[in-house]
Amino acid sequence: MKSRLLALALPVLVLASASPGHAAPTFMASPPEIERESGEMALLDGGISEDGTTLKPSAVEVEIDGQPGPAPKSLEVFSEFAQTAAEASQAWKSPLAVGLVYLWVKDVPAGISDAMLEGVGGFFRRIPARTNVYATLYGRKRQPIPKLKASEIGGQLHDLGYISGDRPNLADAIRVDLRALASDESPFKVLLVVTDGRDFTDSSGDSSADFGAVADEVAKAGVKLLVVSFPPPEADAEQSTKNLGDLAVSGSFRRATEQPLEVQSTLDSLGQAIADMRRVRLEL
């Protein structure tokens, strides 16, 4: 995979896109950070294949005002850089923050629930341990969890009981989590949603929210959206599919799974894809 960086003076942006329907890979890039002491700029760059596995950048091209820019000084693996930086300084902070929203009600099949917990645990074991995490469980209501580190979240989730209610409120849960994520100072923000797509958010409680509007809110917040879905009850399948299609627009990642093992393996793979991102350093 080759990424192209375009700089109109500053900042630097990674230009990449996925086609409608998500047949194409999903590309990820963080906003650039200026390292004033070294006179350099750094950002994260990577990609995810259709099944959630890593696409590793092999080269980065830079353009400045339409002209070839400087060659990157280095392409470090994000997880390796984070481990080294954390060992060198107790004050080091991860440039990544993650929001997590997932459906947690009794009518989710037990196999899916177990796979979800194991997969989420695997996701957070793979990303940098000091990453801030904002989790929201939801059913008809939602249960936000105070900010934790990636190294802490897995154990916390296993101890939480099911949320009551049989009319899930997905849109509201996403908005609650998005607000928490927006308060974080980390430059690169990812929102991971694990759901069957059901939602009863409108004023009557009988139909779904406008998930196109929800997708716009996520995009305007500069957050990368990753959606892993599993089958809803048959009676809700048509509306749930529409909700997910409206939510996971071009540029976001979505994978529809059928079996518990797919849920777990996809979540594991997504964590690894983030860990495998490259930290690109450029001279200003």
Side-chain angles (χ1 to χ4, degrees), residues 32-284:
E33 293 183 279
I34 308 302
E35 299 179 345
R36 301 190 182 280
E37 292 184 2
S38 64
E40 296 176 348
M41 180 186 304
L43 74 159
L44 300 174
D45 185 34
I48 311 172
S49 68
E50 296 92 328
D51 63 359
T53 55
T54 301
L55 289 176
K56 299 178 182 179
S58 59
V60 175
E61 297 176 355
V62 180
E63 290 182 3
I64 299 178
D65 293 334
Q67 300 298 319
K73 294 187 65 176
S74 67
L75 291 176
E76 302 171 273
V77 177
F78 178 36
S79 58
E80 295 175 359
F81 157 76
Q83 182 175 347
T84 300
E87 291 172 351
S89 172
Q90 289 292 327
W92 182 81
K93 297 180 180 179
S94 172
L96 168 68
V98 175
L100 169 66
V101 173
Y102 67 96
L103 180 61
W104 195 240
V105 293
K106 288 183 178 180
D107 69 349
V108 172
I112 294 289
S113 295
D114 292 342
M116 193 187 312
L117 286 181
E118 293 303 317
V120 166
F123 178 96
F124 287 111
R125 283 193 296 272
R126 285 163 172 76
I127 68 174
R130 294 190 193 175
T131 297
N132 290 338
V133 181
Y134 303 85
T136 302
L137 291 68
Y138 79 98
R140 181 57 188 158
K141 297 182 179 181
R142 68 269 177 204
Q143 180 176 334
I145 299 173
K147 180 175 71 175
L148 294 170
K149 298 298 184 184
S151 59
E152 303 169 325
I153 189 72
Q156 294 279 343
L157 297 180
H158 278 81
D159 295 333
L160 297 173
Y162 287 116
I163 304 294
S164 61
D166 58 357
R167 302 173 76 79
N169 193 335
L170 172 59
D172 190 40
I174 290 175
R175 287 175 167 134
V176 166
D177 205 88
L178 191 61
R179 286 194 293 271
L181 193 59
S183 68
D184 195 277
E185 297 180 353
S186 303
F188 183 39
K189 298 176 182 180
V190 170
L191 178 59
L192 175 62
V193 179
V194 190
T195 180
D196 65 6
R198 287 182 293 164
D199 180 83
F200 299 88
T201 308
D202 80 324
S203 58
S204 68
D206 293 327
S207 61
S208 292
D210 180 353
F211 279 90
V214 176
D216 287 342
E217 292 173 33
V218 175
K220 288 177 181 178
V223 173
K224 191 66 178 182
L225 178 65
L226 310 177
V227 179
V228 179
S229 65
F230 51 88
E234 185 174 349
D236 301 305
E238 182 177 355
Q239 184 62 53
S240 295
T241 299
K242 182 182 185 304
N243 292 345
L244 292 169
D246 292 342
L247 175 63
V249 294
S250 180
S252 61
F253 171 86
R254 177 190 169 193
R255 186 180 182 200
T257 65
E258 295 293 334
Q259 301 298 326
L261 184 58
E262 291 179 284
V263 174
Q264 182 175 345
S265 63
T266 300
L267 291 169
D268 285 343
S269 294
L270 289 175
Q272 190 62 53
I274 291 175
D276 288 338
M277 292 180 74
R278 296 307 193 252
R279 184 174 183 267
V280 184
R281 292 170 56 230
L282 304 163
E283 285 190 359
L284 293 177

